[in-house]
Amino acid sequence: MDLQVFVAAHKPYQFPDDPAYLPVQVGRALSEADLGITGDDTGDNISGRNQTYCELTGLYWAWRNTSHEAYGLAHYRRYFAGQAGIASGDELASWLDQADVVVPN
């Protein structure tokens, strides 16, 4: 399954080392900081509205500028738990084989 989980961040952080996760600096258009990761201020974007929409500016950017079979959105400090820590892309894909949507309880 072509799965990409976009990790919304506005501070430096050690992101998961799994190709399923792509860190995105949200609100990049409003920030003087450059985290050295993909910004939500390229292509078709609403980065300048981050103060109102928060992480959703990153989700909008992903929807308008990338193409995947399945999308995910995670906060840079909150992830689904897997067998050995943060859920891997393979684990997430297997969950989506059993359901259309996965959300925390």
Side-chain angles (χ1 to χ4, degrees), residues 1-4 20 68-71 89-90 92-100:
M1 167 181 290
D2 176 29
L3 166 69
Q4 187 74 78
H68 301 282
E69 184 179 352
Y71 292 84
D90 290 337
L92 295 170
S94 73
W95 298 347
L96 287 170
D97 285 340
Q98 302 168 39
D100 292 333

Side-chain angles (χ1 to χ4, degrees), residues 27-67:
R28 179 69 182 96
L30 303 173
S31 177
E32 293 181 17
D34 181 356
L35 302 182
I37 57 177
T38 301
D40 69 350
D41 61 337
T42 61
D44 187 355
N45 73 82
I46 57 171
S47 183
R49 298 181 185 175
N50 182 261
Q51 290 178 327
T52 302
Y53 295 113
C54 302
E55 289 89 354
L56 295 180
T57 61
L59 186 61
Y60 180 91
W61 175 85
W63 170 55
R64 300 299 292 172
N65 297 287
T66 68
S67 179

Side-chain angles (χ1 to χ4, degrees), residues 80-88 91 95:
F80 284 108
Q83 293 295 321
I86 295 171
S88 69
E91 286 176 294
W95 298 347

